[in-house]
Amino acid sequence: MADSLRIGIAGLGTVGASLVRILQQRSNELAITCGRAIEIIAVSARDRSRDRGIDLTGITWFDTPEQLASEAEIDVFVELVGGASGQAENAVRAALARGLHVVTANKALLAKHGVELATIAEDKGALLNFEAAVAGGIPVIKALRESLTGNHVSRIYGIMNGTCNYILTKMEKEGLSFEACLKEAQRLGYAEADPAFDIEGNDTAHKLAILTTLAFGNKISADDIYLEGITNISSEDIQAAAELGYRIKLLGVAQVTESGIEQRVHPTMVPLDSVIAQVDGVTNAVAIESDILGELLMVGPGAGGNATASAVLGDIADIAKSRPGAQQVPVLGRPAKSLTEYRRAKMKSHEGGYFIRLTVKDQAGVFASIATRMADNNISLESIVQRQRVHVEGAPQTIILVTHATMEDAIRKAVKAIKNEKYLVSEPQVIRIERT
Amino acid sequence: MADSLRIGIAGLGTVGASLVRILQQRSNELAITCGRAIEIIAVSARDRSRDRGIDLTGITWFDTPEQLASEAEIDVFVELVGGASGQAENAVRAALARGLHVVTANKALLAKHGVELATIAEDKGALLNFEAAVAGGIPVIKALRESLTGNHVSRIYGIMNGTCNYILTKMEKEGLSFEACLKEAQRLGYAEADPAFDIEGNDTAHKLAILTTLAFGNKISADDIYLEGITNISSEDIQAAAELGYRIKLLGVAQVTESGIEQRVHPTMVPLDSVIAQVDGVTNAVAIESDILGELLMVGPGAGGNATASAVLGDIADIAKSRPGAQQVPVLGRPAKSLTEYRRAKMKSHEGGYFIRLTVKDQAGVFASIATRMADNNISLESIVQRQRVHVEGAPQTIILVTHATMEDAIRKAVKAIKNEKYLVSEPQVIRIERT
């Protein structure tokens, strides 16, 4: 049997503690599977005295991730600290500078510094694995980076934030408001005390930016993502969607268009009978459309200590199974130096169907006016319905439009024209429909 | 850049021709991604004169797979011949004997000789990759062999035969008979002229046997699979399933039980609102339940020249990305010599829910008699309903039972007792319900 693989783990939160436990409890079988033992040599975490329910006897303690990455006698540095910069970044840079392999679950770090870190890793002949950074336990990085080699991806989309999917699922199943479901998610630990990063779509955007690069071979460009969260989705939208045969999901979508790459995160209507529409609660899903393979969909746990630890362990095992320095999987699917400049498609050129919900005054001619504004912008309608369960003279009316595929620009112009007409009672709701 | 990876391809049917085309058309980008060129050195096929729409200029032709495997100056032997023995087996043995890496799409060969071939490959330090052998383009082998390292799998199940899923989908959507849908599948090329291997479940069984070994670490045991095809599924079953909130799928299921490993292929009721129930037509799906990761489901094309070629290409690229002889991924997830003896769980010990459809004479006391036979065997019923849309005096009645989780043995005894009562008009239909 070959020499053991020596690892150092920075960060002993839920994921780190779970990883230590698994590596210790399953050391024998892992050694058999990998052809050599995986040995935890060093750890670092903020609080040395905290009881994490794991045995750290014989493992060297470092006070900072940077020290661990710089000084420990290890082959692999496992970064579970988190954050786009600071300690995590410094430690990963220090580890790569020494030619160590790095395994990380840090999406923010990769979304910001991924190309640079990949370049350093490849120059040093080191591996940089990050399966856990996107969609937790779903092996989507491996699918894109390895299984789909040679394919040209045309679109990738997915449910990549469990908090949002939990809230949307609960809103639909129990008919509750966004606020009530957010509170319940917080109570259950599915949402942070400050939930903005999740519910406004930023978390999904970080993950999408990484997938986009693996799919299309461009430099990571997280700042170029069109972003809409789920905070203004109402029970009315969810109910109307169901009646029209749709379900609302927060999707991250990246696709190739004639004018460049479209990267967008927004609430999306997907057909009720599609596979992705059945993905409930905190579960994640990622779909990849490519020209040779066709469509591949993967569904699984997107977060949680164990699921994330499983992805980290898979990354470590991949290193253990190869002889030191022997593998050359490009970090981002293609050698970092061959990644292309990011060419952003304009969101107003986006093509697709739209759901538009308008609350209007109960006055003659409104229906005709709306239909006319749509026609003025060459928007072809699949349906336009007026909904009011019980007609009360003078009460606001709801009008719901579903368009055939059209341009975002036309929708924006039509909605603007409708707003100018002064019969709207509240802000119009516009939700994009995604072909699945 | 490293030396090119030299490959030889045996078999130039749909998959082989597609593979040659992709390797030629995308040679530059593949060389960039893999860090070295992939070069087709040699091919073999039955008919040299046939026009396959591919350019074989400069590629050495061999008349047999064995010759190619034994004599060509290659690093990787790609076996696309098919068949559990004969030319395919001889050629793969010859290639491994020379220490060549092997990539194959041959499920029958692996189901029969997989452990022995894996042992030889590992002794020689060669890789034996076979992503295309199970569920076509779905990277389930990679998920089990690499991503799930360290996990203990408890159950794996899936839709692994596109022919059967196409027929069942069409029967439901169009209300047609099994025979009519089979004919349509044959017309479209989704079913063979002799469809027995698909519709009787053997194809699914081969794939399941391979997945079972990857999941549980036992020796491959394809002969120990409980097998029921879809030939006796009627429109009535499909309609009754829908009314009860289920859909019928041909599943291959392997799970760990107290008495051993259960491997079974049979028509199965899955809940209508489950993700796997939405998997339509020729699409495949595989679900893996494991203790660290949780549940992972993958959906994608299970067959077709391009999808299969994509999986083969991924396997070749994995070899190209590693330096020669540098990787040691165990062929079947664990080193072949450490695979355990297969311990078969008795099918009569299977636990689960059951759907039972009985066609009975229209006579007093039948309903009570059936309920009593169930109670005699301690079978707890979720529902028992009598269905006859229009009551016609004296015409046969349909009685449908759905049981709570119970033992297969109890069901068999109860059904036998009911058959002894002489009020059955036709054979009882029993379909297992699978928890998803």
Side-chain angles (χ1 to χ4, degrees):
Chain A
M1 198 171 277
D3 290 342
S4 66
L5 185 78
R6 300 162 303 170
I7 70 169
I9 303 171
L12 293 176
T14 327
V15 178
S18 176
L19 180 65
V20 170
R21 205 171 298 119
I22 298 161
L23 284 169
Q24 290 176 339
Q25 285 172 355
R26 302 200 173 161
S27 59
N28 288 341
E29 57 191 273
L30 283 167
I32 292 170
T33 304
C34 298
R36 54 173 159 159
I38 299 171
E39 210 180 331
I40 307 174
I41 298 293
V43 294
S44 80
R46 232 173 289 168
D47 180 1
R48 187 163 186 170
S49 61
R50 195 175 134 207
D51 180 11
R52 298 173 173 90
I54 49 175
D55 181 8
L56 298 176
T57 315
I59 300 175
T60 307
W61 180 277
F62 285 86
D63 284 326
T64 70
E66 294 99 317
Q67 279 181 341
L68 193 161
S70 308
E71 298 168 19
E73 286 293 315
I74 52 176
D75 306 301
V76 183
F77 175 68
V78 181
E79 187 271 302
L80 302 172
V81 176
S85 48
Q87 287 199 322
E89 184 194 355
N90 297 340
V92 167
R93 285 184 189 275
L96 291 176
R98 293 173 67 197
L100 301 183
H101 302 303
V102 170
V103 173
T104 177
N106 190 333
K107 55 190 176 291
L109 176 68
L110 290 164
K112 190 162 181 194
H113 302 292
V115 176
E116 199 191 336
L117 296 174
T119 309
I120 300 171
E122 287 164 12
D123 282 347
K124 291 284 182 179
L127 294 169
L128 172 52
N129 288 347
F130 53 95
E131 188 61 82
V134 180
I138 302 176
V140 61
I141 304 300
K142 198 176 257 291
L144 281 167
R145 201 161 82 156
E146 301 172 24
S147 303
L148 285 162
T149 300
N151 276 268
H152 291 175
V153 177
S154 52
R155 183 170 62 142
I156 183 160
Y157 64 94
I159 298 168
M160 292 181 270
N161 183 275
T163 309
C164 290
N165 206 49
Y166 173 84
I167 292 172
L168 293 171
T169 302
K170 201 169 174 72
M171 284 177 76
E172 182 188 348
K173 291 209 170 149
E174 307 190 11
L176 298 173
S177 70
F178 173 80
E179 289 72 21
C181 295
L182 171 59
K183 257 188 204 147
E184 181 63 11
Q186 285 170 321
R187 196 184 67 77
L188 293 169
Y190 295 156
E192 308 280 341
D194 176 1
F197 194 73
D198 289 315
I199 63 178
E200 284 170 8
N202 307 79
D203 173 74
T204 303
H206 278 163
K207 295 166 181 168
L208 182 65
I210 297 169
L211 294 186
T212 301
T213 286
L214 285 160
F216 306 126
N218 57 273
K219 291 183 183 163
I220 298 174
S221 190
D223 295 336
D224 282 314
I225 296 179
Y226 175 84
L227 205 61
E228 262 180 48
I230 61 166
T231 50
N232 79 336
I233 296 296
S234 68
S235 302
E236 269 186 283
D237 295 320
I238 286 179
Q239 199 187 333
E243 286 171 17
L244 291 161
Y246 292 100
R247 188 165 279 155
I248 300 175
K249 297 289 182 191
L250 182 75
L251 293 191
V253 186
Q255 70 189 113
V256 175
T257 73
E258 276 174 24
S259 64
I261 294 172
E262 232 179 70
Q263 284 189 106
R264 48 196 168 85
V265 174
H266 53 70
T268 310
M269 299 246 185
V270 294
L272 261 180
D273 62 355
S274 64
V275 181
I276 203 163
Q278 320 306 316
V279 175
D280 274 359
V282 293
T283 305
N284 281 18
V286 180
I288 310 168
E289 291 173 0
S290 58
D291 62 347
I292 313 175
L293 176 58
E295 185 170 343
L296 178 67
L297 176 74
M298 304 167 106
V299 183
N306 275 340
T308 309
S310 175
V312 172
L313 178 57
D315 279 349
I316 295 171
D318 275 351
I319 298 171
K321 287 171 190 167
S322 62
R323 294 199 191 119
Q327 231 193 341
Q328 306 173 301
V329 179
V331 175
L332 296 166
R334 258 147 280 214
K337 282 167 188 160
S338 74
L339 295 171
T340 57
E341 287 304 318
Y342 182 75
R343 199 160 67 92
R344 178 183 186 162
K346 289 206 167 62
M347 195 59 199
K348 68 178 187 182
S349 307
H350 168 70
E351 274 187 67
Y354 290 79
F355 161 98
I356 302 168
R357 181 170 60 80
L358 304 169
T359 310
V360 300
K361 290 178 190 158
D362 186 17
Q363 65 186 46
V366 171
F367 205 83
S369 164
I370 290 169
T372 306
R373 294 300 155 264
M374 291 289 148
D376 289 347
N377 288 283
N378 292 313
I379 297 166
S380 157
L381 295 177
E382 189 180 295
S383 69
I384 170 167
V385 290
Q386 188 154 344
R387 291 170 77 236
Q388 194 189 41
R389 301 206 182 285
V390 184
H391 185 83
V392 179
E393 196 64 35
Q397 308 280 312
T398 297
I399 293 178
I400 288 170
L401 302 94
V402 174
T403 79
H404 287 295
T406 183
M407 291 272 277
E408 174 110 359
D409 193 38
I411 293 290
R412 290 184 187 175
K413 283 179 181 154
V415 168
K416 196 177 167 197
I418 288 167
K419 282 173 83 168
N420 285 340
E421 295 285 354
K422 312 287 181 207
Y423 45 66
L424 287 188
V425 173
S426 57
E427 271 295 295
Q429 174 69 295
V430 179
I431 301 176
R432 293 172 193 84
I433 299 171
E434 193 74 19
R435 173 181 55 79
T436 59
Chain B
M1 198 173 274
D3 290 343
S4 67
L5 184 78
R6 301 161 302 168
I7 70 169
I9 302 171
L12 293 176
T14 326
V15 178
S18 175
L19 180 65
V20 169
R21 206 172 297 118
I22 297 161
L23 284 169
Q24 290 176 339
Q25 285 172 356
R26 301 197 174 165
S27 58
N28 289 340
E29 57 191 274
L30 283 167
I32 292 170
T33 305
C34 298
R36 55 173 158 159
I38 300 171
E39 209 181 330
I40 306 173
I41 298 292
V43 293
S44 81
R46 233 174 286 168
D47 179 1
R48 188 163 186 171
S49 61
R50 194 176 134 206
D51 180 12
R52 298 174 173 87
I54 48 174
D55 181 8
L56 298 175
T57 313
I59 299 174
T60 307
W61 181 278
F62 286 86
D63 285 326
T64 69
E66 294 99 315
Q67 279 181 342
L68 191 158
S70 309
E71 298 167 19
E73 287 293 316
I74 53 177
D75 305 302
V76 182
F77 174 67
V78 181
E79 187 271 304
L80 302 172
V81 176
S85 48
Q87 287 199 323
E89 184 193 354
N90 297 338
V92 168
R93 285 183 189 277
L96 291 176
R98 292 173 66 197
L100 301 183
H101 301 304
V102 171
V103 173
T104 176
N106 191 334
K107 56 189 176 290
L109 176 68
L110 290 165
K112 192 165 179 189
H113 302 291
V115 176
E116 199 190 337
L117 296 175
T119 309
I120 300 171
E122 288 164 12
D123 282 347
K124 290 284 181 178
L127 294 168
L128 172 52
N129 288 347
F130 53 95
E131 188 61 81
V134 180
I138 302 177
V140 61
I141 303 299
K142 197 176 258 291
L144 281 167
R145 201 162 80 158
E146 302 173 23
S147 303
L148 285 162
T149 300
N151 275 268
H152 292 175
V153 177
S154 52
R155 183 169 63 143
I156 183 161
Y157 63 94
I159 298 169
M160 292 181 269
N161 183 276
T163 309
C164 290
N165 207 48
Y166 172 84
I167 291 172
L168 292 171
T169 302
K170 202 170 173 67
M171 283 177 75
E172 181 187 349
K173 291 209 169 151
E174 307 190 10
L176 298 173
S177 70
F178 172 81
E179 290 72 21
C181 295
L182 171 59
K183 257 190 200 144
E184 182 63 9
Q186 287 171 321
R187 196 183 66 78
L188 293 169
Y190 295 156
E192 307 280 341
D194 176 3
F197 194 74
D198 288 315
I199 63 178
E200 286 170 7
N202 306 82
D203 174 74
T204 302
H206 277 162
K207 295 166 182 167
L208 182 66
I210 297 169
L211 294 187
T212 301
T213 286
L214 285 160
F216 306 126
N218 57 274
K219 291 184 183 163
I220 299 174
S221 191
D223 295 336
D224 282 313
I225 297 179
Y226 175 84
L227 205 61
E228 262 179 50
I230 61 165
T231 51
N232 79 337
I233 297 296
S234 69
S235 302
E236 269 185 283
D237 295 321
I238 285 178
Q239 200 187 330
E243 286 172 17
L244 292 161
Y246 292 100
R247 187 164 279 155
I248 300 176
K249 296 289 183 191
L250 182 75
L251 293 192
V253 186
Q255 70 189 111
V256 175
T257 75
E258 276 175 24
S259 65
I261 295 171
E262 232 179 68
Q263 283 188 105
R264 48 197 168 86
V265 174
H266 54 71
T268 309
M269 299 246 184
V270 293
L272 261 180
D273 62 357
S274 63
V275 181
I276 204 164
Q278 320 306 318
V279 175
D280 274 359
V282 295
T283 305
N284 282 16
V286 181
I288 309 168
E289 291 173 0
S290 57
D291 62 346
I292 314 175
L293 176 57
E295 185 169 345
L296 178 68
L297 175 74
M298 305 168 104
V299 183
N306 276 340
T308 309
S310 176
V312 171
L313 178 57
D315 279 349
I316 295 171
D318 275 350
I319 299 171
K321 287 171 191 167
S322 62
R323 295 201 190 119
Q327 230 193 342
Q328 306 174 301
V329 180
V331 175
L332 295 167
R334 258 148 277 216
K337 282 167 186 160
S338 74
L339 295 171
T340 57
E341 289 304 318
Y342 182 75
R343 199 161 67 94
R344 178 184 185 159
K346 289 204 169 61
M347 195 58 199
K348 67 178 186 182
S349 308
H350 168 69
E351 273 188 66
Y354 289 79
F355 160 98
I356 304 169
R357 181 170 59 80
L358 304 169
T359 310
V360 300
K361 290 178 191 161
D362 185 16
Q363 65 188 44
V366 170
F367 205 83
S369 163
I370 290 168
T372 306
R373 295 300 154 266
M374 291 289 148
D376 289 347
N377 288 283
N378 292 314
I379 297 166
S380 157
L381 296 177
E382 189 180 299
S383 69
I384 170 166
V385 289
Q386 189 152 346
R387 293 170 78 239
Q388 194 189 40
R389 302 210 180 279
V390 184
H391 185 83
V392 179
E393 195 64 34
Q397 308 280 313
T398 297
I399 293 176
I400 288 171
L401 301 94
V402 174
T403 79
H404 286 295
T406 182
M407 292 271 277
E408 174 109 0
D409 193 38
I411 294 290
R412 289 183 188 177
K413 282 179 182 153
V415 169
K416 196 177 167 195
I418 289 167
K419 282 173 82 170
N420 285 338
E421 295 285 353
K422 310 289 181 208
Y423 45 64
L424 287 188
V425 172
S426 56
E427 271 296 295
Q429 174 70 295
V430 178
I431 301 177
R432 293 172 193 84
I433 298 171
E434 193 75 17
R435 172 181 56 79
T436 60

